[in-house]
Amino acid sequence: MKMKPIGMVLALLLVAFAVAGCSGLSCSGGSPEATTETVATTVSTTTTTLAPTTTTSSTTTSTTSTTSTTLSALEAYRVAMKAWADKYGPGLAQAYAVMSGTNFTNPTPAQIQAAKDLDVALGEMIKDLRVIQAPPDLSPAHAGFLASLEKMAGGVHTLAQALQQGQSLQALGAVAAIAGAWQEGTAARTTLEQALGFSLSG
């Protein structure tokens, strides 16, 4: 907090007056002549004036400036998105690798489980992505990227259920929906990747 200098001034003024005076009258007797002697005594007045004594008490104010370094909106967004990608990237890559060779008419238990794991992972990553605040100029791209992931998550959820229930046609339809959602998000994803400087595509 910046304090204003405060000055305190004390003034003392003393005036002393000394006034003294006297007069005398003497008369001489035994003579018909009266002699009057008047002695005038001059009264001197001494005035002593003490100059005002001024005492100034000065307060020294020291101002401490605190410099805080804050990230720009883009840098803060970049840090948040990098942490988000690092958190979910490995798990998603593993799930996609297992599912890449899936036979949708006769999936293996590992492939069915991979679809379930991918369903859960997408739900969590979308929840975390929703709370990340993008800078104003990247907000539309962030929203577009989020929307494409939400559509993909819907398709993955359907796929996991279809594989578990042995419904191959529904599984193929879900795969088509996932591919379409990913394609819809291409423009938004590309814009974000250019601004961030790293890939969101795995």
Side-chain angles (χ1 to χ4, degrees), residues 28-192:
S28 299
S31 164
E33 289 182 1
T35 304
T36 304
E37 183 181 9
T38 304
V39 179
T41 303
T42 304
V43 179
S44 63
T45 301
T46 303
T47 302
T48 303
T49 302
L50 298 179
T53 302
T54 302
T55 303
T56 303
S57 174
S58 60
T59 302
T60 304
T61 303
S62 61
T63 303
T64 303
S65 60
T66 302
T67 304
S68 59
T69 305
T70 55
L71 294 176
S72 67
L74 178 58
E75 283 301 318
Y77 180 61
R78 181 180 287 117
V79 169
M81 289 298 287
K82 187 66 171 63
W84 176 83
D86 290 345
K87 179 179 180 180
Y88 294 106
L92 292 175
Q94 183 179 3
Y96 281 128
V98 174
M99 290 188 60
S100 62
T102 299
N103 182 351
F104 297 109
T105 59
N106 189 24
T108 66
Q111 291 168 342
I112 294 173
Q113 187 59 48
K116 290 180 179 180
D117 292 344
L118 186 58
D119 185 19
V120 173
L122 279 171
E124 292 176 352
M125 70 187 297
I126 287 170
K127 181 179 65 177
D128 285 355
L129 185 62
R130 286 188 184 125
V131 301
I132 296 177
Q133 297 295 320
D137 56 332
L138 291 178
S139 290
H142 184 87
F145 179 54
L146 176 60
S148 70
L149 288 183
E150 288 173 338
K151 288 184 179 180
M152 285 180 63
V156 169
H157 183 70
T158 301
L159 176 62
Q161 290 182 327
L163 291 178
Q164 186 173 16
Q165 297 170 3
Q167 298 175 341
S168 57
L169 290 179
Q170 285 84 347
L172 291 173
V175 170
I178 294 169
W182 183 253
Q183 185 63 32
E184 287 179 17
T186 299
R189 189 169 59 252
T190 301
T191 298
L192 292 182

